[in-house]
Amino acid sequence: MRLKEDEIMNQNEQRVYLIEKLLEEQPEYKGMNIPSDTAGQKRLLRSLMNVRMPRGIDDEFAQIQDAYLQQVNADRGVVMLDDLDERQPDLYLWQGDITRLKVGAIVNAANSGMTGCYQPCHNCIDNCIHTYAGIQLRNYCCELMRRQGHEEPTGQAKITPAFNLPCDYVIHTVGPVVQGRLTRRHEQLLASCYESCLRIADENGVESIAFCCISTGVFMFPNERAAQIAVQTVRDYKAQTNSNIKVIFNVFKENDRQIYEQLLR
């Protein structure tokens, strides 16, 4: 079903429509009051999208959700590759929200289930990417995993459309979790994440890729060593394959920015 021209909604109406439809899907939320303020509505909508299990959506919901998210993403500010500083040939450093980048692909630090973070409004990159891409991304990942028939191994990568994000693709990889002492195996698996992402990007004609800080944070890989492995693996891959792919090291925290500044001098 397509909305008629005279039925086009403004952004507030779109948000309320999406909330109402998502609440209707969940009997346990029946009678829940929708906040009257914009911030409260945005939190509720994101929460409902985050906890929604993979299942189909009708054409009207998809149309309204896509229009809403595309405007939200535009309002947040799209960052182009030309806006970034090239620190070394084909290597860039940028501090900010990776979901704002209009590049060939952004890398998602996923979990082995590969269908996103289900914790409402969690600030992890997995949650943010699925939130601003839209419900279709979780459904697409779920179908990938259904066909695969098992959890995603650490160190590999899968590519999906980006749906409502400004980038063209999302490349999902599961990094190693460091519990206790950092081992050589942890380092090998992290290097494999970067190499797998680069390889699948090149196989799909992706000309630029933005890496988050894979496995740091809750996966507990030491930040400085993770950055060293990231930069060295990218350099080695480009030297060995003669790849022309442009690589953006995306950081969010100031500590990580300083580490990459040193490595890319």
Side-chain angles (χ1 to χ4, degrees), residues 90-101:
D90 290 345
L91 302 183
Y92 299 75
L93 175 62
W94 185 68
Q95 184 175 15
D97 184 343
I98 200 170
T99 63
R100 294 174 55 206
L101 289 173

Side-chain angles (χ1 to χ4, degrees), residues 62-82:
Q63 179 189 0
I64 293 172
Q65 179 215 237
D66 292 353
Y68 175 77
L69 286 177
Q70 287 165 22
Q71 186 60 55
V72 167
N73 288 330
D75 291 343
R76 293 166 64 234
V78 173
V79 179
M80 312 291 288
L81 183 63
D82 289 345

Side-chain angles (χ1 to χ4, degrees), residues 186-225:
H186 291 137
E187 296 182 338
Q188 291 170 340
L189 287 170
L190 184 60
S192 179
C193 287
Y194 284 91
E195 185 176 339
S196 297
C197 289
L198 290 164
R199 187 181 307 113
I200 202 170
D202 273 338
E203 289 170 354
N204 285 271
V206 174
E207 296 181 354
S208 57
I209 183 172
F211 281 104
C212 61
C213 299
I214 303 168
S215 276
T216 58
V218 295
F219 279 25
M220 297 174 288
F221 205 109
N223 294 56
E224 186 166 2
R225 184 63 185 133

Side-chain angles (χ1 to χ4, degrees), residues 1 25 33 70 77 81 93 106 126 157 159 171 200 216 243:
M1 175 182 175
E25 289 184 342
N33 291 325
Q70 287 165 22
L81 183 63
L93 175 62
I106 62 172
D126 200 10
I159 189 168
I171 297 176
I200 202 170
T216 58
S243 172

Side-chain angles (χ1 to χ4, degrees), residues 38-233:
T38 297
Q41 290 178 4
K42 287 181 176 180
R43 283 194 300 272
L44 178 56
L45 176 57
R46 178 171 178 173
S47 297
L48 291 169
M49 291 173 67
N50 292 161
V51 301
R52 186 182 191 271
M53 299 300 293
R55 67 167 75 91
I57 53 176
D58 63 41
D59 290 344
E60 183 178 61
F61 183 95
Q63 179 189 0
I64 293 172
Q65 179 215 237
D66 292 353
Y68 175 77
L69 286 177
Q70 287 165 22
Q71 186 60 55
V72 167
N73 288 330
D75 291 343
R76 293 166 64 234
V78 173
V79 179
M80 312 291 288
L81 183 63
D82 289 345
D83 298 329
L84 309 181
D85 292 330
E86 190 174 25
R87 301 304 178 97
Q88 293 181 8
D90 290 345
L91 302 183
Y92 299 75
L93 175 62
W94 185 68
Q95 184 175 15
D97 184 343
I98 200 170
T99 63
R100 294 174 55 206
L101 289 173
K102 186 174 178 58
V103 294
I106 62 172
V107 172
N108 178 26
N111 57 53
S112 59
M114 291 286 282
T115 59
C117 169
Y118 289 80
Q119 183 175 334
C121 295
H122 192 233
N123 202 34
C124 69
I125 190 170
D126 200 10
N127 188 296
C128 293
I129 286 174
H130 277 267
T131 293
Y132 295 111
I135 283 172
Q136 295 97 323
L137 180 56
R138 175 166 287 170
N139 289 345
Y140 192 99
C141 290
C142 181
E143 179 58 22
L144 279 181
M145 299 308 290
R146 185 193 68 77
R147 294 199 302 265
Q148 178 165 285
H150 57 80
E151 290 189 334
E152 181 72 0
T154 302
Q156 298 184 15
K158 282 188 167 51
I159 189 168
T160 69
F163 297 100
N164 293 293
L165 292 167
C167 57
D168 298 321
Y169 298 97
V170 178
I171 297 176
H172 309 256
T173 189
V174 181
V177 178
V178 179
Q179 295 177 323
R181 184 177 62 88
L182 181 69
T183 67
R184 178 61 181 157
R185 182 58 178 160
H186 291 137
E187 296 182 338
Q188 291 170 340
L189 287 170
L190 184 60
S192 179
C193 287
Y194 284 91
E195 185 176 339
S196 297
C197 289
L198 290 164
R199 187 181 307 113
I200 202 170
D202 273 338
E203 289 170 354
N204 285 271
V206 174
E207 296 181 354
S208 57
I209 183 172
F211 281 104
C212 61
C213 299
I214 303 168
S215 276
T216 58
V218 295
F219 279 25
M220 297 174 288
F221 205 109
N223 294 56
E224 186 166 2
R225 184 63 185 133
Q228 292 168 352
I229 292 169
V231 173
Q232 190 60 53
T233 303

